[in-house]
Amino acid sequence: MKAQAKSSESLLHGGSTPTRAEITKSLDDGLFELIGEHRHEQVSLWYEPECGYRGVVAIHNTTLGPALGGTRMWTYENDLEALVDVLRLSRGMTYKAAVAGLNLGGGKSVIIGDPNSKNREAIFRAHGRHVDSMAGRYITAEDVGTSPSDMEFVSRETKHVVGLAGRSGDPSPVTALGVYRGMQACAKALWGSDSLAGKTVTVQGVGHVGYYLCKHLHEEGATLVVSDIDNEKVKTVVDEFGASGVTADGIYAVDADIFAPCALGAVINDNTLKVLNVEIVAGAANNQLEDERHGDVLHEKGVLYAPDYAINAGGLINVNAEVEGWDLERSHKKASEIYDTILKVIQLATDENIPTYRAADRLAEARIVEATAKKKA
Ligand code: NAD
C-alpha cells in the first residue's frame, strides 16, 4: 500500500494540534488515505447510542506483538478530531514499544465524551465489548480521562485490559526510574561519567513521576530546582529533598545542567528555547517538542535531548509486566535498560549527525523492519 495523503502529513506526525480546517482538508484526500498515511492496520468505530458510548480503536502496527495502548476519554470538538488523535497516539505507541524492546505493537483508543461523565459502568462496559471484538489484537489500559476503576468495568467484558487496581499498580516509580537512568546515559555521553552528583537539575512538575525522579536525584547528590502549579507539591520536595522552588514560568530560565520536563507537553518551543540554558533535556512528559523543528533547534544548539517516548517508556514497561507476568524486579531491570537505549540513540544520532528524536524513530523502525523480515523468512 502506498498512501499519498500529502496534506494530512503534518496531522499525524506529532507536533501541534491540527486545526479543524486542516483536518477537514486532509479528509478531502479520503478517509483511507488518512488511515494509510502511516500504514495503520485497522481502525474500528463502535456506537452504542443507548448509553452514549462512541469509541474509536486504532491499531497501528502489530508486527512485534499485540497492540497495547490506553483509553483516552475526551470532549473532542468533533469526531474527526478524535480520529486524528487516536491515529497519532496509536502510532506513537508502536514507536515507544519498539524502542523499549518490548514485544508489543501500537494501539490506542478514544471515547468521545465528557471525562467526568457519571454513566461510567455502561460506557466502559460498552468499551469492553468493543475491545473484546478485536480478539486480543488490541489490549487497553487507563489514560487521560480514565482510571483503574473504569478499567474494572472494561474487564467485565474482556480480558484484554491491563492496569487494573491491585495489579501492576502506579506506573510512576518505574517511569521515574527509567527517566533517571536515561539521564545518567545522557551524562555519560556528554560528560564522560554517569554521575549526576553536583549537577543542577530543574524539574518541571513534581507530581507522580517528578516526585520519584527528585528522590533518585537527591539520593545521588544532585542539586534540585523545581516548579509546580501546586505549591503543596513544591513544598514536599523542598522539605524532603532540599530542593529550591521557582515559579512555573521561571523554571525555563534557570541556569542548570539538565532540564527535566515532567508536567506538560510542548514545553520545548520557540519561546522557551530563547531562555533555556541547559546542556541536557531529559524528562517524563509526553510530546515535549511542540514541533519536530524544535528538536532540530536543540540539535543545532548542541543541547542533548533524550527523546520523550524513549526515556519515559517505564510506564509502558510497567503495564507490559501484566501482559508478560513479570514481577516488579523484572520491570525495574527493564526500566534500567533505558540507559542502554538512550546511549544507542545518542550513538546513532552522533554517527549520522541527526537530531536524537530522529535517531530514536530510526531505531524503532529498524526493529520493526527486522521483525517483519524474520516473519517472512
Ligand atoms: P501528574 O499529574 O501526577 O504530575 C504532573 C504535575 O505537573 C502535577 O503536579 C501538576 O500540578 C504539575 N503541573 C501542571 N502544569 C504545570 C506547569 N505549567 N508548571 C509546573 N508544573 C505543572 O502526572 P505524572 O503521572 O507525574 O506525569 C507527568 C508527565 O509524564 C505527564 O506528561 C505524563 O503524560 C508523562 N508520563 C507519565 C507516566 C507515568 O507513569 N505516570 C508515564 C509516561 C509519561
Side-chain angles (χ1 to χ4, degrees):
M1 172 177 57
K2 179 114 177 66
Q4 298 286 342
K6 273 277 174 264
S7 61
S8 62
E9 193 134 332
S10 62
L11 299 191
L12 302 186
H13 222 276
S16 46
T17 309
T19 62
R20 188 176 183 148
E22 282 171 330
I23 295 173
T24 310
K25 183 173 182 308
S26 82
L27 269 184
D28 286 346
D29 294 331
L31 181 58
F32 284 93
E33 289 298 307
L34 184 62
I35 295 169
E37 183 195 342
H38 289 295
R39 301 174 178 234
H40 281 76
E41 291 177 9
Q42 185 179 359
V43 175
S44 170
L45 309 178
W46 192 283
Y47 186 31
E48 293 195 21
E50 303 74 28
C51 67
Y53 171 74
R54 289 187 295 161
V56 190
V57 176
I59 294 180
H60 176 249
N61 191 293
T62 54
T63 306
L64 299 172
L68 191 148
T71 298
R72 183 164 287 198
M73 188 164 181
W74 200 247
T75 39
Y76 291 98
E77 264 193 29
N78 56 60
D79 300 349
L80 297 180
E81 194 185 80
L83 175 65
V84 166
D85 202 30
V86 79
L87 289 173
R88 288 206 298 184
L89 293 168
S90 56
R91 177 171 176 265
M93 293 308 294
T94 298
Y95 280 73
K96 186 179 275 206
V99 101
L102 300 175
N103 295 322
L104 293 173
K108 201 92 180 182
S109 50
V110 296
I111 298 174
I112 301 165
D114 180 359
N116 298 315
S117 162
K118 298 277 175 275
N119 195 20
R120 300 198 95 78
E121 176 165 1
I123 288 175
F124 285 95
R125 287 188 78 145
H127 189 54
R129 290 188 283 280
H130 187 183
V131 171
D132 202 56
S133 74
M134 323 209 56
R137 271 169 54 73
Y138 170 64
I139 302 168
T140 199
E142 64 160 315
D143 195 73
V144 176
T146 64
S147 67
S149 58
D150 295 328
M151 294 306 120
E152 292 298 327
F153 294 131
V154 171
S155 75
R156 292 189 196 161
E157 304 286 346
T158 183
K159 60 179 197 284
H160 305 297
V161 52
V162 289
L164 299 167
R167 300 262 190 93
S168 57
D170 179 8
S172 312
V174 182
T175 305
L177 173 64
V179 172
Y180 168 63
R181 294 287 289 147
M183 226 179 237
Q184 286 183 320
C186 291
K188 175 82 179 166
L190 205 58
W191 303 315
S193 159
D194 288 354
S195 176
L196 298 167
K199 301 292 180 195
T200 300
V201 185
T202 47
V203 182
Q204 179 185 47
V206 283
H208 288 95
V209 180
Y211 171 85
Y212 290 109
L213 179 63
C214 286
K215 188 167 192 290
H216 285 293
L217 293 169
H218 173 64
E219 281 166 5
E220 200 180 327
T223 301
L224 295 168
V225 181
V226 304
S227 71
D228 198 297
I229 50 171
D230 182 338
N231 288 334
E232 276 307 305
K233 290 184 180 162
V234 172
K235 186 174 179 318
T236 302
V237 293
V238 167
D239 291 348
E240 290 188 27
F241 310 131
S244 317
V246 288
T247 60
D249 289 339
I251 192 92
Y252 303 107
V254 174
D255 273 353
D257 299 295
I258 304 174
F259 171 50
C262 296
L264 312 161
V267 293
I268 305 297
N269 56 46
D270 291 338
N271 292 330
T272 59
L273 279 167
K274 280 185 203 143
V275 293
L276 212 54
N277 187 18
V278 294
E279 290 185 65
I280 293 170
V281 175
N286 285 310
N287 303 318
Q288 290 169 29
L289 305 176
E290 186 180 60
D291 225 323
E292 287 191 342
R293 72 184 165 81
H294 297 112
D296 301 335
V297 176
L298 286 177
H299 176 66
E300 284 152 19
K301 285 179 168 235
V303 177
L304 180 52
Y305 168 61
D308 45 15
Y309 72 81
I311 197 170
N312 74 10
L316 183 60
I317 290 169
N318 191 66
V319 287
N320 178 65
E322 253 180 81
V323 180
E324 302 271 8
W326 291 354
D327 60 14
L328 196 58
E329 195 184 331
R330 181 99 192 258
S331 299
H332 280 186
K333 187 170 175 290
K334 192 72 188 162
S336 264
E337 288 169 13
I338 288 176
Y339 177 89
D340 307 285
T341 305
I342 297 296
L343 275 187
K344 248 193 249 172
V345 167
I346 296 170
Q347 189 61 54
L348 182 63
T350 308
D351 292 348
E352 305 277 326
N353 192 23
I354 54 174
T356 48
Y357 77 89
R358 285 205 188 282
D361 283 1
R362 285 212 197 158
L363 282 182
E365 284 157 8
R367 191 167 165 233
I368 292 167
V369 167
E370 195 184 324
T372 308
K374 269 195 194 145
K375 274 190 181 172
K376 282 187 183 156

